[in-house]
Amino acid sequence: MKKGYIFKREDRWFVAIPDPSYSSGYRIKAPSYSIRSSAQKALRERKDAIESGQVGWISEGDTYYADYIKDYLQFVLTNHSQETLKTYKGVLKDFSIFLKDKYPHIQRLKEFFIRLFEEYKIWLKETGRKDNTVNNHIKVLKTIFNQAIRWELLKKNPIKDVRNISVEDEKTIVSLDTPEKFKLFFERCLAIKPEYYNHYYCTAKLGLRWKEMISLEWDDVDFENAVVSICKKKGFIPKGRTQKDRKPKTRIISAPQDVLDILKSIEHSHEKVFLRDGNPISPKDKSFRRWIVAIVRGTELEGMSRMHEFRHTTGRILGLTHSLHEIKEFLGHTDIRTTERYVRVGDAAKKSMAKSLEQFGRKII
């Protein structure tokens, strides 16, 4: 009887297990392994299970859901950031509570069906989740089951046709996308909370994420070449992975002169660039959000409340004169559809486009 084998491809080890539904007689078991001994252990456990009669031939969809999720989370750990892993674990925790309560009999991937996920949406709403949270759960679960298809464990994603909830009360993004709004915010910042001026200004001009700003170190700033690097370091893993080796991607940002001038004016009292009261900023620090609310209160900017809106400010400013692809690279997005949410084409740019079309050729008749 065939019992499988292991093999190496590039720097990863794979386990091939018997499956008569494949022309070769084998299929590759997910996930792959970084060391030979782990792959050998997985194959040994598989052989023991077959010999003891615990498992037989596994056909598409027969994989146990619990086993698949264990493999999938290992895959996420290897290929994505800790932040992504944390998000997926949170969604799966809620989903497992729902399954235990409503569908405890479901064990295998092939047993999931579309109505189950529609009921899950209702369950999330009944347990107090907001519409955006429900949609995020659906998005994550679609991604999880899509990977099962890539690993040839399923033929069809059971959640594929589940629609998102229409979000009517989604928070409007307020950005400083005109010179007047930009000036208004930072003049009020200097008057109300001047010690946060550098943090806010550099974030808005460099398009930094919150964790990128608080993790930035002086070694990441190259004054000679006028660039700032967003790279992996202790306690921080940047978003995005390289295509070749799936390692955390370093983003190089060309810094405008006004940002470089601010950075030069900051005292080098710590390895971190941005501090609060002389100490590194905690990722859980909410004071920066609270002061944004205080700064914009009673102005046309009221409603602005998040550090991430400075990143939207960067995207919208760049959208006036640069292409989506250029902005995508600057902001470090993996998918250009994400960039589209940051960029709004201004009236001046629309008029310029119309002028370009008009000048290209004249009407014949």
Side-chain angles (χ1 to χ4, degrees):
M1 179 187 290
K2 295 179 179 179
K3 295 183 180 179
Y5 61 93
I6 65 171
F7 65 95
K8 189 176 185 181
R9 184 175 294 166
E10 296 182 351
D11 61 340
R12 304 291 296 180
W13 286 91
F14 296 83
V15 177
I17 59 176
D19 191 329
S21 65
Y22 285 73
S23 58
S24 65
Y26 294 92
R27 67 177 172 85
I28 300 173
K29 180 183 179 298
S32 60
Y33 301 88
S34 57
I35 56 176
R36 179 189 177 96
S37 60
S38 296
Q40 288 176 324
K41 180 182 178 183
L43 179 61
R44 187 165 56 251
E45 290 174 349
R46 179 74 186 174
K47 288 179 178 179
D48 291 343
I50 292 173
E51 290 173 356
S52 65
Q54 294 177 28
V55 296
W57 303 107
I58 301 296
S59 62
E60 210 160 59
D62 277 341
T63 301
Y64 281 98
Y65 169 74
D67 292 340
Y68 169 67
I69 292 302
K70 182 180 178 181
D71 289 345
Y72 182 78
L73 289 177
Q74 181 61 45
F75 166 79
V76 174
L77 177 63
T78 304
N79 294 280
H80 298 280
S81 67
Q82 286 289 338
E83 194 171 301
T84 300
L85 178 63
K86 183 180 178 181
T87 298
Y88 281 31
K89 281 185 173 181
V91 170
L92 288 169
K93 181 180 178 181
D94 286 337
F95 189 54
S96 66
I97 293 172
F98 165 79
L99 288 177
K100 187 176 180 180
D101 181 38
K102 303 289 186 179
Y103 292 96
H105 63 280
I106 287 184
Q107 299 291 322
R108 301 178 188 273
L109 291 176
K110 66 181 181 182
E111 295 172 347
F112 287 93
F113 53 97
I114 188 170
R115 194 180 77 249
L116 177 151
F117 297 101
E118 294 292 354
E119 291 180 19
Y120 181 56
K121 286 163 58 178
I122 296 171
W123 181 85
L124 286 170
K125 290 288 288 180
E126 289 176 344
T127 50
R129 269 62 169 198
K130 295 180 180 179
D131 290 347
N132 281 327
T133 302
V134 175
N135 289 341
N136 185 56
H137 278 236
I138 298 304
K139 178 182 176 182
V140 168
L141 289 172
K142 282 182 179 179
T143 302
I144 290 172
F145 281 94
N146 277 337
Q147 191 61 44
I149 295 172
R150 294 189 193 97
W151 286 345
E152 298 182 339
L153 302 177
L154 276 178
K155 286 185 178 179
K156 182 181 178 182
N157 190 331
I159 193 174
K160 177 183 177 182
D161 297 323
V162 176
R163 296 182 178 180
N164 285 347
I165 293 175
S166 178
V167 180
E168 305 254 340
D169 58 346
E170 187 173 7
K171 181 187 179 299
T172 302
I173 295 170
V174 181
S175 64
L176 313 177
D177 53 1
T178 67
E180 294 76 20
K181 291 179 182 178
F182 199 89
K183 182 180 179 182
L184 173 63
F185 179 89
F186 285 103
E187 283 183 345
R188 287 179 62 84
C189 179
L190 282 174
I192 297 171
K193 192 64 176 176
E195 56 266 44
Y196 282 6
Y197 179 91
N198 293 342
H199 304 70
Y200 293 150
Y201 193 93
C202 293
T203 298
K205 282 296 186 82
L206 296 176
L208 300 178
R209 298 178 176 94
W210 164 248
K211 287 190 177 179
E212 292 173 349
M213 187 272 283
I214 66 174
S215 302
L216 193 69
E217 298 180 354
W218 287 112
D219 287 344
D220 302 326
V221 181
D222 183 347
F223 288 104
E224 183 177 346
N225 295 302
V227 296
V228 172
S229 301
I230 306 300
C231 53
K232 180 181 178 181
K233 56 180 66 71
K234 185 177 180 181
F236 172 70
I237 300 177
K239 284 194 171 184
R241 298 273 171 159
T242 59
Q243 291 293 326
K244 185 176 181 180
D245 54 16
R246 304 303 298 168
K247 291 183 178 179
K249 193 174 183 179
T250 296
R251 181 162 107 255
I252 306 298
I253 305 172
S254 293
Q257 188 58 50
D258 52 354
V259 170
L260 293 173
D261 291 341
I262 286 177
L263 293 176
K264 288 176 182 177
S265 72
I266 298 175
E267 184 181 355
H268 294 211
S269 59
H270 194 278
E271 64 178 8
K272 291 279 195 299
V273 175
F274 298 108
L275 307 173
R276 181 190 173 196
D277 298 328
N279 297 307
I281 303 166
S282 167
K284 297 180 180 180
D285 192 325
K286 303 296 184 185
S287 68
F288 288 87
R289 292 186 63 178
R290 289 196 297 269
W291 279 107
I292 290 174
V293 174
I295 290 168
V296 302
R297 187 176 292 124
T299 73
E300 63 177 304
L301 302 175
E302 192 152 16
M304 187 177 186
S305 62
R306 297 174 295 174
M307 288 291 293
H308 206 73
E309 282 164 305
F310 289 123
R311 187 165 158 83
H312 279 273
T313 292
T314 314
R316 290 188 175 179
I317 292 172
L318 293 176
L320 299 174
T321 51
H322 294 273
S323 71
L324 275 178
H325 288 280
E326 290 173 327
I327 301 167
K328 172 180 174 288
E329 292 302 312
F330 189 94
L331 294 177
H333 291 147
T334 302
D335 191 333
I336 200 164
R337 288 174 294 183
T338 305
T339 311
E340 289 173 346
R341 298 201 298 267
Y342 285 69
V343 177
R344 182 180 65 199
V345 179
D347 291 337
K350 290 178 182 176
K351 289 179 180 178
S352 177
M353 291 177 189
K355 193 71 174 175
S356 297
L357 291 169
E358 178 187 343
Q359 292 174 347
F360 183 79
R362 298 295 179 179
K363 61 182 181 180
I364 306 299
I365 300 174

